[in-house]
Amino acid sequence: MGRLRYYSSSQSVPSLRRRLELVLAAALLVWCQASLRVATAQQPPSRVRVGVILDLTSLIGQRRKVGIEMAVEDYYAARPGSRTRVALSFRDSAGDVVGAASAAVDLIKSEQVQAIIGPPTSAEAEFVAYLGNRTHVPVLSSSATSPGLSPSQTPFFVRTGANDSFQAAPVAAVLAAFGWHAAAVVYEDSPYGSGILPALAGALQGVGARITDRAAVPSDAGDDRIDAMLYGFKAMATRVFVVHMNPFLAVRFFRRAREAGMMTEDYAWVATDGVGSVVDALSSDDVSAMEGVVSLRPFVQVTDRVRNFSARFRARLRREYPSADIYPHDPTVVMLWSYDTAWAIAVAAEEAGVSSPAFQTPPQSAAVTDLDRLGVSATGATLLKAVRETTFRGLAGNFALVDGQLQPPEYEFVNIVGKSSRAVGFWTPEAGITQTLGADGAKGLKKILWPGDSISSPRGWVVSPNGRQLRVAVPVKHGFKEFVGVQRDSTNRTANITGYCIEVFDAVIGKYMPYPVSYQYVPYDYSSESYDNLVSLVPEQRADIVVGDVTITASRMGKVDFSMPFTDSGWSMVVAVRTETSTSMWIFLQPLTTSLWLASLAFFCFTGFVVWAIEHRINPEFRGTPWQQFGLIFYFAFSTLVFSHKEKLESNLSRFVVIIWVFVVLILTSSYTASLTSMLTVQKLQPAVTDVRELQRTGAFIGYQEGSFIKQRLQKLGFDKAKMRSYSTAEGYADALSSGQVAAVFDEIPYLRLFLSQYCDGYTMFGPVYKTDGFGFVFPMGSPLTADVSRAVLTLAEGEEMAQIEKKWFGEPGKCPSQGGGGGGGTDLGFSNLSFRSFGGLFLITGVVSGLMLLVYLATFVYRGRGEVRPEEEGSGSSSMRRLRAWLRHFDQKDLKCPTFKTGNGDSIRDGNQTQRWVEFESVRNGRGGNGPVQAAAEDEVIAIGMSPLSFNTSTPSETINAGSSPASELGTSFEQRMQEAPQSASVDMPGSTAP
């Protein structure tokens, strides 16, 4: 027991020692931390110098100054133990680019700032950004939003606000939501204003819209200049305007627009965030000048933190600037971005542990200018990296930089009504326009009060800006007045304009347009020279629309817009035809094509072979020498053409084959006869010219319609201009073709059809059809009428009215006999030979039937002869060849089981019955009964024939029968000879008879 206590006491000493060591170590650690804390408390934080460049003479500059100061104070109040401390140095740029540059140089040179906040505008920030890039001083700006100022070009520039190009997508979405396809852009003449144009043009193009006009307004533009610009807009058809300018210029612009009467119905104004972001900070008079405007601005969620800051901000602003106007919605989103920018610098400086400023200045000998003497910041790169990586939840939302720029925020749409604004929707890249924020919100905007207190959305354009009638130019034609005819009245100098094109346009505008359009026709006398001159009237603003037989071409579409075509497209040639009757000695070959001749020959041979193969073993008429059998195959098959085949068939398989084949031959011969008869009796009209290359090769003269684009197309095809003649009427076409002045006339399909409907005989349209887009109505480039008229043209074409208009001016289609219409003429334009495709179904049927019957026969033949065929045990060749020769020998032998080759009384049924019928016939004919010598002789003959075997039944194939005779004929001949000898013998042997 005592020993146990001893050991326990000895083991507790080391344990107690270790515990004392741990306590001492902990006490030492606590003492070190306390000492460090005391030393840190006694050591001041590192001072980070940050310069701020603002327009301190403006209200906006004063507000931003207050917000930046509050951000730095709030940050360090929340983090009193920070190792760094941002020290702000303010400079006044006075809103001038040179002033901003001078302030930046002073801050870097005198204060040695490690970062710069500002300047307030893109123009001021551009030079400062390049200066910061050279000296490695980060420049952070929340208001320099022009896309032309890019962090990729100046890496030390950081944009802590939204890039203006981000607004292009929501602006385009507004135009798409209301179906506006065109808009005029009014922008401030500055880097800030012009920077958005490329992105805006691309966004509008993406939604099917475009910029019809753009106007730059200088910041110092007077009222006269703005008024002149506005009155120019009033003369345009477009009534949708996108405004991108600073709020002070925007207020002046909208005041002048109201005075010009452009803040009324039919007008739509969409403003960017230059207006929307500060509209709540404007006076009531300024806001009322913008009534009906739809603007957008970055969306900021109003949280408790934002409300608290707003209250403190207004109180401090009132305290520091008693004369400043205080608005309920202060601060704006731009002020919040300024606050977040200062907060981001404080966070980055703390994270990077930036020390006191240090600039590496160049030697005095290398410094030439003051800019050269600025040097390079040693802490700039570290601070820039920390700023780019800084993320936090700021007052304006999430602060996160991508490629040196703030992420695109959500945008809020506001409608300026009365003396304030109200939210009407939101836009996000994911959901587009919604009435509430989020993808689940209803699509589109809420009800908007437009200029003029209108609640219906403007159409976006007007037919006639000045309220006058549209000038519709029409061509004055010398011919083909069915399309456009102008008849002038000499007494009152008015013109009566009619025609197919005129009636189509009147129907489209008067019945199918969704709104009224007032217009008047104006004849153009010089259209016969060239229709290009007629089309040029529209871009020259000498006409608003061109209506007529104007063809849509690519060259013309470069200057004007066309509606959908309302006629057939393409152009071709019309030629004279000559009458001829076929006199060729080989005309009998022409009804069938070569492929049909060859196919017929092949099926004749195949059918004959199938019938021979089936009948060879059972029918003596299909036996004989090889040459006789080969000839019989062709003879039997081709004799079916005239149905003269006399060979009697024994097998039902071959009979079925012949039945189908005779049906095919009947149809084939009937079709051949009809086609050949038509060729021999009907006259043919052959085109005088069948190929365009033939015209070029022979150098023949050709014609075209005057003023048409066909002339240029023919020259491109290689025709000589000297060989081309112009005509203006259908009568001129007919005279030129009939007299041989030209070999062909080229024109568009509608003209050629009209010509052929008037001149049915002697002419035809031939050759290739070159594609065009048909006739269309001409409008100015970008005219909103184009789409509506095109839809109206399609609606008209889908109904019966278009057909009635065509019938009225061109008559019933297809009346000309030579063009395949009604009327029985004695001429025809060529013939189409019968082709194999026309009889492919018949050949398929007979081929399948013949092949199937042959397979059935071969299968039966092999099955029945499988035990009878024995190949030679010795012989040349392989076993397969010997077996094949054995099958061929067996096939060449007679089928003695067939009734045709059976012998004996009971087997010769067919021949015996036939003989019996002949005997009875002769007995009846001679008036004799069933008794007497004749009957006895006949019976003996029957017995002789029935009992004795036929000579060809047992002989070899070479000994069968004479060529050209058959067993039936031999039997009949022998029987008749015996019948002639019977009376003589009867007269000699009959008792009691006397000689005559």
Side-chain angles (χ1 to χ4, degrees), residues 486-497 521-523:
V486 179
Q487 298 178 352
R488 300 182 184 274
D489 190 345
S490 58
T491 58
N492 54 10
R493 296 183 179 181
T494 59
N496 181 27
I497 302 175
Y521 291 113
V522 179

Side-chain angles (χ1 to χ4, degrees), residues 725-987:
R725 297 176 177 177
S726 63
Y727 301 93
S728 59
T729 63
E731 294 80 2
Y733 286 5
D735 294 340
L737 290 171
S738 60
S739 63
Q741 298 178 17
V742 295
V745 174
F746 289 86
D747 210 341
E748 295 175 77
I749 300 298
Y751 298 113
L752 298 183
R753 288 183 176 175
L754 177 61
F755 169 75
L756 293 175
S757 67
Q758 297 175 356
Y759 296 89
C760 297
D761 298 326
Y763 310 97
T764 184
M765 188 167 61
F766 208 81
V769 176
Y770 301 96
K771 289 296 183 182
T772 59
D773 287 336
F775 297 161
F777 304 126
V778 182
F779 297 92
M781 289 285 290
S783 173
L785 274 174
T786 306
D788 293 337
V789 171
S790 296
R791 282 189 288 267
V793 168
L794 293 178
T795 305
L796 175 65
E798 292 172 356
E800 295 292 333
E801 188 172 357
M802 179 67 86
Q804 295 175 1
I805 296 175
E806 292 178 354
K807 180 179 178 181
K808 173 183 177 181
W809 291 101
F810 306 137
E812 288 285 352
K815 279 189 175 181
C816 182
S818 63
Q819 299 304 314
T827 60
D828 192 13
L829 186 60
F831 298 95
S832 59
N833 299 349
L834 300 176
S835 64
F836 176 76
R837 185 178 180 85
S838 304
F839 300 91
L842 291 174
F843 285 121
L844 178 63
I845 293 174
T846 185
V848 170
V849 170
S850 299
L852 184 61
M853 296 301 102
L854 180 61
L855 291 176
V856 171
Y857 169 75
L858 291 177
T860 305
F861 167 71
V862 171
Y863 178 76
R864 292 178 178 177
R866 65 186 185 281
E868 302 177 8
V869 177
R870 295 289 186 273
E872 299 177 357
E873 296 181 358
E874 296 182 359
S876 61
S878 61
S879 59
S880 300
M881 292 299 298
R882 293 196 301 271
R883 187 171 183 84
L884 177 62
R885 285 196 297 268
W887 275 107
L888 292 177
R889 285 194 300 271
H890 181 66
F891 175 77
D892 192 50
Q893 296 174 2
K894 300 176 182 178
D895 187 2
L896 299 179
K897 298 179 182 180
C898 175
T900 307
F901 299 118
K902 285 185 178 180
T903 60
N905 293 333
D907 297 340
S908 189
I909 296 175
R910 187 188 68 178
D911 296 339
N913 289 343
Q914 184 177 357
T915 306
Q916 182 67 31
R917 288 195 297 271
W918 278 102
V919 172
E920 292 176 355
F921 172 74
E922 290 293 332
S923 299
V924 174
R925 185 181 63 179
N926 294 331
R928 295 180 176 89
N931 299 322
V934 176
Q935 182 178 4
E939 291 175 354
D940 293 340
E941 180 67 20
V942 170
I943 295 173
I945 296 175
M947 297 297 294
S948 62
L950 295 176
S951 60
F952 56 78
N953 286 345
T954 58
S955 61
T956 61
S958 61
E959 300 171 350
T960 305
I961 56 175
N962 294 330
S965 64
S966 65
S969 61
E970 290 182 0
L971 180 61
T973 303
S974 176
F975 181 76
E976 290 177 357
Q977 291 177 355
R978 291 176 183 272
M979 290 297 295
Q980 292 175 1
E981 296 173 357
Q984 297 178 2
S985 61
S987 61

Side-chain angles (χ1 to χ4, degrees), residues 76 106 298 308 386 429 583 618 662 695 742 817 985-986:
Y76 291 113
D106 180 63
N308 177 268
T583 57
I618 63 175
V662 169
L695 293 172
V742 295
S985 61

Side-chain angles (χ1 to χ4, degrees), residues 57-255:
T57 60
S58 65
L59 297 178
I60 295 179
Q62 297 170 3
R63 282 173 164 79
R64 289 180 181 174
K65 178 177 180 296
V66 172
I68 292 173
E69 291 175 340
M70 292 180 66
V72 175
E73 294 171 2
D74 292 347
Y75 177 81
Y76 291 113
R79 296 164 178 80
S82 299
R83 297 171 298 162
T84 59
R85 182 75 59 173
V86 171
L88 300 175
S89 298
F90 290 91
R91 293 294 186 273
D92 185 10
S93 67
D96 182 62
V97 175
V98 177
S102 176
V105 172
D106 180 63
L107 287 172
I108 297 175
K109 183 178 180 181
S110 303
E111 301 293 337
Q112 291 191 341
V113 295
Q114 295 161 278
I116 295 176
I117 298 177
T121 65
S122 298
E124 298 174 32
E126 185 173 4
F127 179 80
V128 176
Y130 281 104
L131 184 62
N133 198 56
R134 182 172 179 175
T135 58
H136 290 190
V137 176
V139 178
L140 289 73
S141 178
S142 61
S143 55
T145 56
S146 173
L149 190 58
S150 172
S152 60
Q153 297 177 356
T154 52
F156 278 82
F157 173 74
V158 178
R159 180 181 286 117
T160 56
N163 192 324
D164 282 340
S165 62
F166 298 157
Q167 302 179 75
V171 169
V174 172
L175 269 66
F178 293 102
W180 298 328
H181 300 289
V185 179
V186 188
Y187 60 95
E188 179 183 335
D189 191 6
S190 67
Y192 161 75
S194 61
I196 196 176
L197 292 181
L200 185 60
L204 292 182
Q205 186 178 4
V207 297
R210 63 188 184 89
I211 298 176
T212 58
D213 195 9
R214 59 186 69 182
V217 183
S219 300
D220 58 350
D223 292 345
D224 294 340
R225 184 166 182 176
I226 296 177
D227 291 344
M229 187 181 301
L230 291 172
Y231 282 112
F233 288 149
K234 289 186 68 174
M236 297 168 47
T238 303
R239 289 294 182 263
V240 179
F241 300 94
V242 178
V243 179
H244 179 62
M245 56 184 63
N246 68 71
F248 305 105
L249 181 59
V251 168
R252 292 177 51 218
F253 179 82
F254 281 110
R255 285 183 180 274

Side-chain angles (χ1 to χ4, degrees), residues 534-588:
L534 177 66
V535 173
S536 298
L537 296 176
V538 173
E540 294 173 0
Q541 297 185 0
R542 297 162 59 189
D544 299 310
I545 305 173
V546 171
V547 172
D549 48 347
V550 183
T551 304
I552 303 172
T553 63
S555 60
R556 293 171 181 173
M557 290 191 70
K559 300 183 294 183
V560 296
D561 281 348
F562 282 91
S563 68
M564 292 291 294
F566 56 91
T567 61
D568 296 332
S569 62
W571 60 281
S572 185
M573 67 177 181
V574 63
V575 298
V577 295
R578 59 176 183 269
T579 305
E580 64 177 27
T581 304
S582 300
T583 57
S584 173
M585 62 183 295
W586 303 104
I587 190 175
F588 67 92

